[in-house]
Amino acid sequence: MRIAFAADDENETTRAVVAYLTAEHELIRPARSESWPQLGAAVGRAVVDGDADFGVVMCWTGTGTAIAANKVPGVRAALAWDAWIAEGARKWNDANVLAMSLKRLAPDVAVEVAKAFLGVSEPDPDEAANIAQL
Ligand SMILES: O=C(CO)[C@H](O)[C@H](O)COP(=O)(O)O
């Protein structure tokens, strides 16, 4: 899949996520900046515009990039810190952008979270009515 990715800092965790996305998906970098509001918005726009299937954003907490992405109409960005939360965000919320903390997730956990998020092909149809209200 085409994954739009941005992070406002680089460390072992972001490098592990980039390596995974590059190996398993097509990595798209819609913006290079250290401004987390701009990065979150750029990834959100890439998803909504159809340039990417999903987005992954990372900042120190994950929250700022999630908020910035969610300001783009049509984006449903979810902050996730473990695989269950990430999988649930896709299944039950049809999230289209994953946000993670690059400071609090170990590299292997961040990759596991991204894999769980991107591993769900379709949201749960039982949630369709709820998702439609978002
Ligand atoms: O987690 C973040 C936003 O939620 C940022 O990564 C953190 O606040 C650092 O930002 P800056 O480099 O602009 O000081």
Coordinates of all heavy atoms in Angstrom, one line a residue, residues 8 35-41 57-71 77 79 99-101:
D8 N 8.6 14.5 13.1 CA 9.3 15.8 13.3 C 10.6 15.6 13.9 O 11.3 16.6 14.3 CB 8.4 16.8 14.1 CG 8.3 16.4 15.5 OD1 8.5 15.3 15.9 OD2 7.9 17.3 16.3
S35 N 8.2 21.1 11.5 CA 7.0 21.7 12.1 C 5.9 20.6 12.2 O 5.4 20.2 11.1 CB 6.6 22.8 11.2 OG 5.2 23.1 11.4
W36 N 5.7 20.1 13.4 CA 4.7 19.0 13.5 C 3.3 19.4 13.0 O 2.6 18.5 12.4 CB 4.7 18.4 14.9 CG 4.5 19.3 16.0 CD1 5.5 19.9 16.8 CD2 3.3 19.8 16.6 NE1 5.0 20.7 17.7 CE2 3.7 20.7 17.6 CE3 2.0 19.7 16.2 CZ2 2.7 21.4 18.4 CZ3 1.0 20.3 17.0 CH2 1.4 21.2 18.1
P37 N 2.8 20.6 13.1 CA 1.5 20.9 12.5 C 1.5 20.8 11.0 O 0.5 20.2 10.4 CB 1.2 22.4 13.0 CG 2.1 22.6 14.2 CD 3.3 21.8 13.9
Q38 N 2.6 21.2 10.4 CA 2.7 21.1 8.9 C 2.8 19.7 8.5 O 2.2 19.3 7.5 CB 3.9 21.9 8.4 CG 3.7 23.4 8.5 CD 4.9 24.2 8.0 OE1 5.7 23.7 7.3 NE2 5.0 25.4 8.4
L39 N 3.5 18.9 9.2 CA 3.7 17.5 8.8 C 2.4 16.7 9.0 O 2.1 15.9 8.1 CB 4.8 16.9 9.7 CG 6.2 17.4 9.4 CD1 7.2 16.9 10.5 CD2 6.7 17.0 8.0
G40 N 1.7 16.9 10.1 CA 0.5 16.2 10.3 C -0.5 16.5 9.2 O -1.2 15.7 8.7
A41 N -0.6 17.8 8.9 CA -1.6 18.3 7.9 C -1.2 17.7 6.5 O -2.1 17.3 5.7 CB -1.6 19.8 7.8
V57 N 1.9 9.2 11.2 CA 2.6 10.4 11.7 C 3.2 10.1 13.0 O 2.7 9.4 13.8 CB 1.6 11.6 11.8 CG1 1.2 12.1 10.4 CG2 0.4 11.3 12.6
M58 N 4.4 10.8 13.2 CA 5.0 10.6 14.5 C 5.6 11.9 15.0 O 6.1 12.7 14.2 CB 6.2 9.6 14.4 CG 5.7 8.2 13.9 SD 7.1 7.0 13.8 CE 7.2 6.6 15.5
C59 N 5.4 12.2 16.3 CA 6.1 13.3 16.9 C 6.5 12.9 18.3 O 6.3 11.7 18.6 CB 5.3 14.6 16.9 SG 3.7 14.5 17.7
W60 N 7.0 13.8 19.1 CA 7.4 13.3 20.5 C 6.3 12.6 21.2 O 6.5 11.5 21.7 CB 7.9 14.5 21.3 CG 9.2 15.0 20.9 CD1 9.9 14.8 19.7 CD2 10.1 16.0 21.6 NE1 11.1 15.5 19.7 CE2 11.2 16.2 20.8 CE3 9.9 16.6 22.8 CZ2 12.2 17.1 21.2 CZ3 10.9 17.5 23.2 CH2 12.0 17.7 22.4
T61 N 5.1 13.2 21.2 CA 4.0 12.5 21.9 C 3.1 11.8 20.9 O 2.4 10.9 21.4 CB 3.1 13.6 22.6 OG1 2.6 14.5 21.6 CG2 3.9 14.3 23.7
G62 N 3.1 12.2 19.7 CA 2.1 11.7 18.7 C 0.8 12.5 18.7 O 0.1 12.5 17.7
T63 N 0.6 13.3 19.7 CA -0.7 14.0 19.8 C -0.7 15.2 18.9 O -1.8 15.4 18.2 CB -0.8 14.5 21.3 OG1 -0.8 13.4 22.2 CG2 -2.2 15.2 21.4
G64 N 0.3 16.0 18.8 CA 0.3 17.1 17.9 C 0.1 16.8 16.5 O -0.8 17.4 15.8
T65 N 0.8 15.8 16.0 CA 0.6 15.4 14.6 C -0.8 14.8 14.4 O -1.4 15.0 13.3 CB 1.7 14.5 14.1 OG1 1.9 13.5 15.1 CG2 3.0 15.2 13.8
A66 N -1.3 14.1 15.4 CA -2.7 13.6 15.3 C -3.7 14.7 15.2 O -4.6 14.6 14.3 CB -3.0 12.7 16.5
I67 N -3.5 15.7 16.0 CA -4.5 16.8 16.0 C -4.4 17.5 14.6 O -5.4 17.8 14.0 CB -4.2 17.8 17.1 CG1 -4.6 17.1 18.5 CG2 -5.0 19.1 16.9 CD1 -4.1 17.9 19.7
A68 N -3.2 17.8 14.2 CA -3.0 18.5 12.9 C -3.6 17.7 11.7 O -4.3 18.2 10.9 CB -1.5 18.7 12.6
A69 N -3.4 16.4 11.7 CA -4.0 15.5 10.7 C -5.5 15.6 10.8 O -6.2 15.7 9.7 CB -3.4 14.1 10.8
N70 N -6.0 15.5 12.0 CA -7.5 15.5 12.1 C -8.2 16.8 11.7 O -9.4 16.8 11.6 CB -7.8 15.1 13.6 CG -7.9 13.6 13.8 OD1 -8.4 12.9 12.9 ND2 -7.4 13.1 14.9
K71 N -7.4 17.8 11.6 CA -8.0 19.1 11.1 C -8.3 19.1 9.6 O -9.0 19.9 9.1 CB -7.0 20.3 11.4 CG -6.8 20.6 12.8 CD -7.8 21.5 13.4 CE -7.5 21.9 14.8 NZ -8.5 22.8 15.3
A77 N -7.6 10.4 12.3 CA -6.3 10.0 12.8 C -6.5 9.4 14.3 O -7.2 10.0 15.1 CB -5.4 11.2 12.8
L79 N -4.3 8.0 17.7 CA -3.1 7.9 18.5 C -3.1 6.5 19.1 O -4.0 6.1 19.8 CB -3.0 8.9 19.6 CG -1.8 8.9 20.5 CD1 -0.5 9.2 19.7 CD2 -2.0 10.0 21.6
A99 N -1.2 7.7 14.4 CA -0.2 8.6 15.1 C 0.5 7.8 16.2 O -0.2 7.1 17.0 CB -0.9 9.8 15.6
M100 N 1.8 8.0 16.3 CA 2.5 7.3 17.4 C 3.5 8.3 18.0 O 4.1 9.2 17.3 CB 3.3 6.1 16.8 CG 2.4 5.0 16.3 SD 3.4 3.5 15.9 CE 4.1 4.1 14.3
S101 N 3.9 8.0 19.3 CA 4.9 8.8 19.9 C 6.3 8.2 19.5 O 6.5 7.0 19.7 CB 4.8 8.7 21.4 OG 6.0 9.1 22.1

